[in-house]
Amino acid sequence: MAMVHRFEDAEAWAKVFDDPARDAWQHPDEVVAALGLAPTMTVADVGAGTGYFTVRLARAVPGGQVIATDIEPDMVRYLTERAQREHLGNVRAVQATGDDPRLDPGSVDRILGVDVWHHIADRARYAKGLAAALRPGGQVAIVDFTQEATHGPPRPHRLAPEVIVADLQSAGLEASLSATRLPDQFIVIGTRR
């Protein structure tokens, strides 16, 4: 069952999502490293929120592009303004929906979804949309909370890694748990062959 939660006030959420203390448990550098990025790749940050990962991805692909998606219109506005404020000309914010990531078919090399998978109602359908957006050899990385995590959603809304693996496999991706270990989270990688 998806955890339904609205994130409508971007300025208020920025204080939470972009709190420097988040780095201690989120380990953003390790997450970005797990993506195996090249400087000219196109990367989608799905459920980008206020851009905590978007800005890091933009700096990791200076000759590429980052498509930051979110279902909340205020987050899309905030992402657009943040990219301008931080002079990140390779970032484009896109309004997505709860059942459509709004990514063009065969358009991205990597997709990152951090702390969002447990919010998606029809994960199999959403996974198909992500898989369709990948170029051959492209990858989806889903980062979510372990059952033991001290952060994240209530335990009944947490998903086991094998559930996410199955979601990505149902979309035709080869999927497995990443070797990258985080304090409160895991990463599942799905690859389009």
Side-chain angles (χ1 to χ4, degrees):
M1 176 170 62
M3 180 179 174
V4 178
H5 193 296
R6 295 300 307 259
F7 298 91
E8 294 170 306
D9 184 348
E11 274 76 13
W13 281 107
K15 294 174 183 148
V16 177
F17 294 160
D18 297 312
D19 182 345
R22 178 177 175 182
D23 294 0
W25 60 268
Q26 185 73 79
H27 289 219
D29 295 338
E30 291 174 45
V31 172
V32 172
L35 298 175
L37 299 175
T40 59
M41 284 184 169
T42 298
V43 183
D45 184 4
V46 175
T50 57
Y52 177 83
F53 274 102
T54 301
V55 297
R56 289 166 170 85
L57 295 170
R59 292 180 181 123
V61 294
Q65 181 182 29
V66 177
I67 304 162
T69 73
D70 206 279
I71 65 170
E72 296 289 355
D74 200 41
M75 292 295 183
V76 174
R77 174 201 58 82
Y78 187 93
L79 284 162
T80 299
E81 291 173 2
R82 183 172 184 179
Q84 292 168 347
R85 189 171 59 247
E86 297 189 27
H87 308 288
L88 299 171
N90 63 341
V91 171
R92 178 169 53 97
V94 172
Q95 178 79 47
T97 66
D99 61 358
D100 184 354
R102 298 268 167 92
L103 298 169
D104 293 335
S107 65
V108 296
D109 300 294
R110 298 288 186 272
I111 299 171
L112 177 63
V114 179
D115 309 339
V116 297
W117 206 248
H118 59 269
H119 290 287
I120 298 170
D122 188 345
R123 296 187 315 270
R125 178 178 173 174
Y126 209 83
K128 285 183 177 130
L130 296 179
L134 289 173
R135 293 178 176 140
Q139 294 183 326
V140 174
I142 304 297
V143 180
D144 224 314
F145 295 94
T146 65
Q147 285 297 318
E148 303 76 31
T150 57
H151 296 85
R155 279 186 174 71
H157 294 286
R158 296 181 188 191
L159 302 169
E162 51 271 14
V163 170
I164 298 173
V165 166
D167 291 339
L168 297 182
Q169 287 174 337
S170 76
L173 300 173
E174 292 180 13
S176 61
L177 186 62
S178 169
T180 301
R181 296 289 175 248
L182 305 170
D184 287 332
Q185 298 177 301
F186 57 84
I187 305 173
V188 171
I189 304 283
T191 305
R192 179 178 174 190
R193 295 289 174 210

